[in-house]
């Protein structure tokens, strides 16, 4: 099992560019989430999904879009990159949501210049 | 006020020591609690769930105090390999949204 796979691992963007961070899981998990991690801030929830076709906002959704057309994939789209979006992004998935915690991907390190 | 608060540390302890971390949460209706471990430049990994009755896994013991709204993690007989950042995680508002503390850094020295 690959678990949760994120691509790319590293990315540098210019201000104003858009891009999509990919996340795929092969564990048939219904629940998927995107977090960003900044020094001293911990992980903050951006968007989450409880199943294909269902998404909702987390703590810091502005500037990001998500979609969930399949159970396996949960891409995160940056609409117009800003330096404040420089961060490490983690995708996570869970079979049952609250009861058993989340499995994380290895992260995408994004720098916006 | 943050939803989940942790002492950032670092906690510097010798091998073999016992060390304890606390984490406070703001929402009394929270239902699920976890401790995650994160190594430098790696993803968080689930260490253990925290149940109302407390739970133990080898050298690690987790406790929940609902009245005071905190959870704790106790590590006995610390190993060098325990050096990491420990993240407290609490679900808030609904079952599908998890909130992370900013982590407590542990350094175990020889």
């Amino acid at each position: 099992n690959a678990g949760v796979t994120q691509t790319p691992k590293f990315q540098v963007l210019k201000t104003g560019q858009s891009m999509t961070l990919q996340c795929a899981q092969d564990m048939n998990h219904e629940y998927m989430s995107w977090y960003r991690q900044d020094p001293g801030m911990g992980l903050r929830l951006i968007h989450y999904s409880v199943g294909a076709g269902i998404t909702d906002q987390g703590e810091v959704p502005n500037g990001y879009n998500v979609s969930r057309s399949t159970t396996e994939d949960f891409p995160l789209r940056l609409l117009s990159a800003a330096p404040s979006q420089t961060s490490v992004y983690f995708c996570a998935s869970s079979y049952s949501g609250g009861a058993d915690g989340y499995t994380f991907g290895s992260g995408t390190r994004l720098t916006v210049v | 006020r943050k939803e989940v608060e942790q002492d950032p540390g670092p906690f510097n302890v010798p091998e073999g020591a016992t060390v304890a971390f606390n984490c406070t949460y703001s929402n009394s209706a929270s239902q699920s609690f976890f401790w995650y471990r994160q190594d430098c430049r790696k993803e968080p990994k689930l260490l253990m769930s925290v149940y109302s009755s407390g739970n133990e896994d080898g050298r690690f013991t987790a406790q929940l105090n609902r009245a005071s709204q905190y959870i704790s993690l106790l590590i006995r007989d610390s190993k060098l390999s325990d050096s990491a950042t420990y993240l407290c995680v609490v679900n808030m508002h609904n079952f599908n949204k998890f909130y992370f503390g900013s982590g407590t850094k542990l350094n175990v020295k020889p």
Side-chain angles (χ1 to χ4, degrees):
Chain A
N1 273 348
V4 180
T5 302
Q6 289 185 237
T7 56
K9 293 191 182 304
F10 302 93
Q11 183 70 49
V12 179
L13 287 179
K14 294 182 178 179
T15 297
Q17 287 184 314
S18 63
M19 78 160 294
T20 300
L21 307 186
Q22 302 292 344
C23 176
Q25 51 89 12
D26 61 358
M27 299 174 284
N28 201 32
H29 285 174
E30 290 292 333
Y31 298 84
M32 296 185 75
S33 300
W34 275 102
Y35 290 86
R36 61 176 288 174
Q37 186 173 33
D38 304 293
M41 299 289 291
L43 282 88
R44 291 181 292 169
L45 181 65
I46 304 171
H47 286 284
Y48 68 101
S49 170
V50 300
I54 307 170
T55 64
D56 204 350
Q57 296 181 350
E59 299 174 81
V60 288
N62 292 340
Y64 308 94
N65 274 353
V66 291
S67 59
R68 186 93 180 272
S69 56
T70 67
T71 299
E72 294 77 19
D73 300 298
F74 191 41
L76 177 73
R77 183 165 180 82
L78 278 69
L79 308 172
S80 177
S84 61
Q85 295 179 303
T86 294
S87 188
V88 181
Y89 291 84
F90 288 103
C91 178
S93 75
S94 170
Y95 177 73
S96 62
D100 59 357
Y102 275 82
T103 299
F104 282 80
S106 58
T108 295
R109 296 182 180 276
L110 176 68
T111 301
V112 182
V113 297
Chain B
R1 182 188 171 191
K2 290 183 180 179
E3 302 276 10
V4 180
E5 298 210 52
Q6 294 182 252
D7 181 343
F11 284 60
N12 298 308
V13 302
E15 272 187 291
T18 296
V19 62
F21 311 134
N22 281 343
C23 163
T24 58
Y25 60 95
S26 61
N27 190 330
S28 60
S30 296
Q31 300 172 27
S32 299
F33 309 88
F34 304 90
W35 283 102
Y36 277 72
R37 170 193 170 127
Q38 187 174 27
D39 294 298
C40 188
R41 300 180 72 83
K42 298 288 189 180
E43 72 272 23
K45 292 185 178 179
L46 180 64
L47 179 66
M48 59 197 308
S49 303
V50 187
Y51 305 121
S52 296
S53 56
N55 53 310
E56 186 173 313
D57 183 4
R59 297 181 294 108
F60 298 83
T61 300
Q63 298 280 353
L64 167 64
N65 185 318
R66 286 192 182 273
S68 301
Q69 293 181 211
Y70 75 85
I71 66 173
S72 63
L73 177 68
L74 181 76
I75 306 175
R76 292 180 297 277
D77 189 22
S78 298
K79 311 292 185 190
L80 295 176
S81 58
D82 294 334
S83 296
T85 296
Y86 291 83
L87 306 172
C88 167
V89 183
V90 180
N91 86 312
M92 295 286 188
H93 310 307
N94 71 49
F95 204 51
N96 303 310
K97 295 171 74 168
F98 281 76
Y99 288 76
F100 284 74
S102 54
T104 297
K105 187 171 177 59
L106 172 65
N107 296 318
V108 181
K109 310 285 189 181

